[in-house]
Amino acid sequence: MFKKKENTVKDDSKTSKSQVSNLALLIARMQNNADTVEKDVLRAEELLLIDADNEKNNKKLQHQKETADLLGQAEGLLKDLFLDMDKAKKMKHPQAGEIENDVSRLHERWLKDCSLYRELYEPLNEVELQPRINWALVLNQKQKDASKEEYGPTMADLKKQIAAHNILHKEIESYNNQLCPGSTSSQEEYAAIKKQYANLLDNSKWRRHYLNSLYDYMQDCEKEVAYMREEQNKILKQDWSDQMVDHADVRRQYENFKNNSLLSHESEVNKLQDDGDRLIELKHPAASTIQAQRDTVRNEWQKFLNLCICQETHLDNIEEYKRYQLDADTLSESLSKLGSTVDTKALNGKTNTEIQMQLEAEERPLQRNEQLLADLRKRSTAITPLKLRHTPPSKTTMVESLCDWKTPKVRISRKKI
């Protein structure tokens, strides 16, 4: 359906591989949907011609249901196409303008077939046949459709609403070519209808603007929330016991994030808070949904910061634990060496003078070991018992909360100092 050109998606330094891949998948899906719509519309046109001949020859109309199914399926795919078309624009596809023209032509062709369908299968009663269109009735109905208060609340709901309104807006725009003095009963009525139409078109544009601004805001919020939840899961799943693998690498990764990424995410969270406040102040019709999204971002950010505090404390504890273990091992090794030198078997054959000199030489290392032992005893009370984290407690155990945290089952608070 779409015209193909070489290098339609450029993989330059400004476009990540992920964006290129997503754009390629988007265009492939649009191509497939457009081909299906074109196939359905073509088949519907064939069936409409057959039944039009049947009507001329006073024969039974045989293809109404199949034609309705084809046009209905095409309508659903057209909604998806309009939504994907907006995505292609936002992702700056080089052929976005041409794709929009192709989709618009498909939609116009579908509208024409729907009109033929109504003329063929839903003829007006003779008493209703009029040379003019009841524009007031038509525009009033479209005004109701364009004035819907539905905005979300979920992204899936919003996508459906955007797709449905894109179809509606195209229909409203198409009325402009049909409105003419000959389609009304008087010049006064024509002037009133033109005014009504202008108001309808303006309302439709505003709804489209509100839907798109809500989509952009929700997409940015969900992207940031997804990132924070992923990082939270990594922290929660980490082994913070004495069995942690390569704690030095975990420390490097944390420090790299703290120094290079934390501020950028904090700026993004603050921007989302400001954008949400601005949209609410501007009386956006989806203010409640925007507020919920804004609050979710703020709450997830606070949870994420809490876990960062925990992570830093855990790393400090593990590093102190490893240093303590190293010092304890060093002391043990030193004492073993000292023990071997004063063993009675080692002293056999030595004179008293030699034994005294050996003991005097070992006096200083012994003093150092005594100091180290005293230091280890003092530090032992402050070392976090990391082994207990992979050993089920046999009795109720007191724990210290490193941050405020809440789950569906329990809520803990950090002790205020």
Side-chain angles (χ1 to χ4, degrees), residues 282-346:
L282 291 173
K283 308 297 183 184
H284 194 291
S288 59
T289 300
I290 292 169
Q291 182 175 344
Q293 291 283 321
R294 182 200 63 188
D295 293 348
T296 297
V297 171
R298 184 181 63 241
N299 294 337
E300 287 298 328
W301 176 246
Q302 188 57 56
K303 287 170 62 179
F304 180 54
L305 287 182
N306 285 341
L307 284 184
C308 286
I309 294 172
C310 290
Q311 181 173 219
E312 186 154 5
T313 303
H314 280 314
L315 286 169
D316 291 343
N317 289 341
I318 288 174
E319 288 164 357
E320 183 59 33
Y321 178 87
K322 295 294 183 181
R323 283 193 293 269
Y324 184 87
Q325 288 294 104
L326 180 61
D327 290 345
D329 291 342
T330 301
L331 175 61
S332 177
E333 184 179 346
S334 178
L335 291 174
S336 296
K337 288 181 179 179
L338 284 173
S340 65
T341 59
V342 297
D343 185 67
T344 55
K345 293 180 180 180

Side-chain angles (χ1 to χ4, degrees), residues 167-373:
I167 293 282
L168 175 64
H169 190 73
K170 289 290 182 181
E171 292 178 2
I172 292 172
E173 286 182 327
S174 71
Y175 291 158
N176 188 48
N177 296 328
Q178 302 173 43
L179 273 172
C180 60
S183 64
T184 58
S185 59
S186 66
Q187 191 65 34
E188 290 75 12
E189 182 187 358
Y190 176 69
I193 292 298
K194 285 290 287 184
K195 183 178 180 180
Q196 184 181 358
Y197 173 75
N199 182 57
L200 168 61
L201 184 61
D202 186 57
N203 286 348
S204 181
K205 288 178 179 178
W206 272 110
R207 175 163 171 78
R208 183 173 63 174
H209 166 73
Y210 287 137
L211 286 168
N212 287 335
S213 61
L214 177 61
Y215 179 85
D216 291 340
Y217 183 70
M218 286 183 66
Q219 188 177 49
D220 290 341
C221 287
E222 292 192 356
K223 179 181 177 181
E224 192 63 27
V225 167
Y227 168 80
M228 289 189 286
R229 287 177 177 171
E230 182 181 357
E231 292 301 309
Q232 288 176 48
N233 286 333
K234 290 179 183 178
I235 298 173
L236 292 171
K237 291 179 180 178
Q238 179 64 262
D239 184 353
W240 296 107
S241 72
D242 61 315
Q243 296 178 350
M244 172 183 273
V245 178
D246 198 356
H247 69 278
D249 184 59
V250 176
R251 168 66 81 176
R252 278 194 298 273
Q253 291 181 27
Y254 172 71
E255 293 297 330
N256 181 62
F257 165 78
K258 188 170 68 171
N259 296 327
N260 300 312
S261 301
L262 184 60
L263 287 179
S264 65
H265 283 284
E266 183 179 24
S267 297
E268 179 63 21
V269 168
N270 290 336
K271 178 179 178 297
L272 290 172
Q273 298 298 298
D274 293 341
D275 289 348
D277 292 340
R278 179 178 56 80
L279 289 171
I280 293 171
E281 288 173 5
L282 291 173
K283 308 297 183 184
H284 194 291
S288 59
T289 300
I290 292 169
Q291 182 175 344
Q293 291 283 321
R294 182 200 63 188
D295 293 348
T296 297
V297 171
R298 184 181 63 241
N299 294 337
E300 287 298 328
W301 176 246
Q302 188 57 56
K303 287 170 62 179
F304 180 54
L305 287 182
N306 285 341
L307 284 184
C308 286
I309 294 172
C310 290
Q311 181 173 219
E312 186 154 5
T313 303
H314 280 314
L315 286 169
D316 291 343
N317 289 341
I318 288 174
E319 288 164 357
E320 183 59 33
Y321 178 87
K322 295 294 183 181
R323 283 193 293 269
Y324 184 87
Q325 288 294 104
L326 180 61
D327 290 345
D329 291 342
T330 301
L331 175 61
S332 177
E333 184 179 346
S334 178
L335 291 174
S336 296
K337 288 181 179 179
L338 284 173
S340 65
T341 59
V342 297
D343 185 67
T344 55
K345 293 180 180 180
L347 297 177
N348 288 338
K350 292 185 178 182
T351 65
N352 290 338
T353 303
E354 290 174 335
I355 292 174
Q356 184 177 358
M357 290 178 63
Q358 181 178 335
L359 292 175
E360 289 175 353
E362 292 174 349
E363 183 177 0
R364 183 168 293 179
L366 186 60
Q367 290 176 349
R368 284 199 302 268
N369 286 337
E370 288 178 349
Q371 291 176 354
L372 181 55
L373 180 59

Side-chain angles (χ1 to χ4, degrees), residues 78-194:
L78 278 168
K79 290 180 180 180
D80 293 338
L81 280 170
F82 277 117
L83 186 60
D84 287 343
M85 181 182 69
D86 287 340
K87 290 181 182 178
K89 284 182 180 178
K90 290 172 184 175
M91 296 171 77
K92 302 189 186 316
H93 190 282
Q95 288 181 264
E98 295 177 30
I99 291 174
E100 182 175 15
N101 290 336
D102 289 339
V103 173
S104 296
R105 280 194 292 270
L106 269 181
H107 180 254
E108 290 169 4
R109 189 171 170 186
W110 173 81
L111 280 176
K112 181 181 177 183
D113 289 345
C114 288
S115 178
L116 292 173
Y117 176 93
R118 287 190 292 271
E119 291 176 8
L120 182 60
Y121 298 114
E122 302 172 7
L124 297 173
N125 296 328
E126 284 189 17
V127 74
E128 294 175 332
L129 289 176
Q130 298 176 359
R132 299 179 181 87
I133 299 173
N134 189 341
W135 282 112
L137 182 63
V138 172
L139 298 184
N140 280 336
Q141 181 57 50
K142 297 303 177 184
Q143 187 70 266
K144 291 179 182 178
D145 295 337
S147 301
K148 287 181 178 179
E149 296 299 322
E150 296 176 347
Y151 290 92
T154 68
M155 181 61 85
D157 294 331
L158 183 59
K159 287 179 179 180
K160 292 177 183 177
Q161 291 156 8
I162 290 174
H165 189 73
N166 282 337
I167 293 282
L168 175 64
H169 190 73
K170 289 290 182 181
E171 292 178 2
I172 292 172
E173 286 182 327
S174 71
Y175 291 158
N176 188 48
N177 296 328
Q178 302 173 43
L179 273 172
C180 60
S183 64
T184 58
S185 59
S186 66
Q187 191 65 34
E188 290 75 12
E189 182 187 358
Y190 176 69
I193 292 298
K194 285 290 287 184

